[in-house]
Protein backbone atom coordinates (compact mmCIF):
# COMPACT_ATOMS: atom_id res chain seq x y z
CA UNK A 1 0.00 0.00 0.00
CA UNK A 2 1.35 3.41 -0.95
CA UNK A 3 1.87 5.87 1.91
CA UNK A 4 -0.56 8.77 1.99
CA UNK A 5 1.88 11.09 3.73
CA UNK A 6 5.61 11.64 4.15
CA UNK A 7 7.74 13.80 6.42
CA UNK A 8 11.14 13.69 8.09
CA UNK A 9 10.69 14.56 11.76
CA UNK A 10 7.81 16.08 13.70
CA UNK A 11 7.89 17.04 17.38
CA UNK A 12 4.71 17.00 19.45
CA UNK A 13 3.88 18.17 22.95
CA UNK A 14 1.77 15.58 24.77
CA UNK A 15 -0.50 15.43 27.78
CA UNK A 16 -1.23 11.68 27.59
CA UNK A 17 1.75 9.67 26.35
CA UNK A 18 0.03 6.28 26.54
CA UNK A 19 -2.88 7.39 24.35
CA UNK A 20 -0.57 9.10 21.87
CA UNK A 21 1.63 6.00 21.55
CA UNK A 22 -1.42 3.74 21.19
CA UNK A 23 -2.83 5.90 18.39
CA UNK A 24 0.36 6.28 16.38
CA UNK A 25 1.32 2.61 16.90
CA UNK A 26 -2.05 0.89 16.49
CA UNK A 27 -3.75 3.19 13.98
CA UNK A 28 -0.92 4.80 12.03
CA UNK A 29 1.59 1.91 12.13
CA UNK A 30 4.55 3.61 13.83
CA UNK A 31 6.96 1.54 15.95
CA UNK A 32 8.66 2.52 19.19
CA UNK A 33 10.84 1.08 21.93
CA UNK A 34 9.25 3.39 24.54
CA UNK A 35 9.20 1.67 27.93
CA UNK A 36 5.98 3.33 29.13
CA UNK A 37 7.78 5.39 31.77
CA UNK A 38 10.27 7.76 30.13
CA UNK A 39 9.01 11.23 29.31
CA UNK A 40 10.23 11.53 25.76
CA UNK A 41 9.09 9.13 23.05
CA UNK A 42 10.56 8.40 19.64
CA UNK A 43 8.43 6.64 17.04
CA UNK A 44 9.40 5.54 13.53
CA UNK A 45 7.56 4.65 10.34
CA UNK A 46 9.85 4.21 7.36
CA UNK A 47 11.92 7.39 7.15
CA UNK A 48 9.39 9.36 9.23
CA UNK A 49 10.09 10.09 12.88
CA UNK A 50 7.81 11.43 15.63
CA UNK A 51 9.32 12.84 18.79
CA UNK A 52 6.87 13.34 21.65
CA UNK A 53 7.59 15.17 24.87
CA UNK A 54 5.23 15.98 27.79
CA UNK A 55 4.13 19.61 27.67
CA UNK A 56 4.50 20.12 31.43
CA UNK A 57 8.06 18.71 31.46
CA UNK A 58 9.04 20.98 28.55
CA UNK A 59 7.55 24.01 30.29
CA UNK A 60 9.44 23.16 33.50
CA UNK A 61 12.67 22.61 31.58
CA UNK A 62 12.43 25.95 29.73
CA UNK A 63 10.80 27.94 32.55
CA UNK A 64 8.13 29.13 30.13
CA UNK A 65 4.45 28.35 29.59
CA UNK A 66 3.48 27.58 26.00
CA UNK A 67 0.08 28.52 24.61
CA UNK A 68 -1.45 28.96 21.19
CA UNK A 69 -1.72 32.52 19.87
CA UNK A 70 -5.15 34.05 20.28
CA UNK A 71 -7.54 33.60 17.37
CA UNK A 72 -6.18 30.26 16.10
CA UNK A 73 -8.54 27.32 15.81
CA UNK A 74 -6.61 24.27 17.06
CA UNK A 75 -7.45 20.93 18.61
CA UNK A 76 -5.83 20.31 21.98
CA UNK A 77 -6.22 17.21 24.11
Amino acid sequence: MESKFDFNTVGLFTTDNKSMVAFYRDVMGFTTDWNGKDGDIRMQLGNMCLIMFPRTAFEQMTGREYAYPQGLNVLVK
Side-chain angles (χ1 to χ4, degrees), residues 13 53-67:
F13 288 135
F53 197 77
R55 177 180 291 275
T56 54
F58 192 77
E59 289 175 343
Q60 288 173 353
M61 183 176 69
T62 61
R64 181 176 171 201
E65 183 177 329
Y66 289 85

Side-chain angles (χ1 to χ4, degrees), residues 55 64-74 76:
R55 177 180 291 275
R64 181 176 171 201
E65 183 177 329
Y66 289 85
Y68 290 102
Q70 293 295 322
L72 290 182
N73 184 10
V74 297
V76 179

Side-chain angles (χ1 to χ4, degrees), residues 3-75:
S3 177
K4 295 184 180 187
F5 59 97
D6 188 31
F7 56 84
N8 186 325
T9 303
V10 173
L12 303 171
F13 288 135
T14 63
T15 57
D16 184 346
N17 284 347
K18 290 181 182 181
S19 293
M20 293 291 282
V21 167
F23 172 77
Y24 283 101
R25 182 191 60 223
D26 301 343
V27 176
M28 302 300 288
F30 282 79
T31 60
T32 185
D33 60 359
W34 185 58
N35 64 12
K37 296 177 184 174
D38 291 338
D40 61 324
I41 303 162
R42 293 183 186 348
M43 302 191 79
Q44 192 82 27
L45 178 63
N47 66 341
M48 298 179 287
C49 180
L50 289 176
I51 301 171
M52 294 182 241
F53 197 77
R55 177 180 291 275
T56 54
F58 192 77
E59 289 175 343
Q60 288 173 353
M61 183 176 69
T62 61
R64 181 176 171 201
E65 183 177 329
Y66 289 85
Y68 290 102
Q70 293 295 322
L72 290 182
N73 184 10
V74 297
L75 297 174

